[in-house]
Amino acid sequence: MLGQDGGGETHAVSLRWRDGREESLSVGPDETVVDAAGAAGVGLPYGCLYGACGTCTGKLLSGDVEHAAEPRALKPRHRDVGYVLLCLAEPRSACRIEVGARVQADLVPNPWK
Ligand code: FES
């Protein structure tokens, strides 16, 4: 299904967890990945829903997303290698995204090690 305006299309998004689980979503125009997952009954980790906490971090494996607002929880070097905040991420093409709490854990140094 295609939307009406320039960036407004529905895109297929494939979510992959590190345990091998996969889910497919259709993400509508101006819909975020977290919202589409919630509507489809797919559980993704999230917290603030406005880009500050990083709980919803995913890693884009292929495709394009735009952040609907500044993804403050990600450093530029993380964005450069494909990390995205799924509470703000609006797909602009078909995408494959690695998801799950362990993706965010990669970004946070463990003070106990
Ligand atoms: S839920 Fe907090 S940054 Fe996405």
Side-chain angles (χ1 to χ4, degrees):
M1 186 177 83
L2 298 179
Q4 307 295 314
D5 56 32
E9 293 183 16
T10 295
H11 296 291
V13 174
S14 166
L15 304 177
R16 295 165 183 239
W17 284 258
R18 288 198 183 157
D19 63 6
R21 189 160 68 95
E22 296 189 19
E23 297 274 0
S24 294
L25 298 176
S26 288
V27 185
D30 300 322
E31 191 175 31
T32 67
V33 175
V34 164
D35 284 345
V42 175
L44 290 181
Y46 64 83
C48 69
L49 292 177
Y50 58 85
C53 72
T55 305
C56 66
T57 300
K59 189 163 189 196
L60 193 62
L61 302 174
S62 66
D64 276 320
V65 305
E66 277 180 26
H67 288 111
E70 177 66 19
R72 288 183 285 147
L74 294 179
K75 294 182 165 52
R77 70 174 191 274
H78 296 144
R79 294 167 63 178
D80 287 347
V81 295
Y83 288 100
V84 293
L85 295 181
L86 299 177
C87 70
L88 300 177
E90 297 178 354
R92 295 293 182 253
S93 72
C95 296
R96 290 164 52 232
I97 306 174
E98 184 180 44
V99 298
R102 282 187 270 168
V103 178
Q104 188 207 7
D106 288 348
L107 304 185
V108 182
N110 183 340
W112 308 110
K113 278 191 190 167

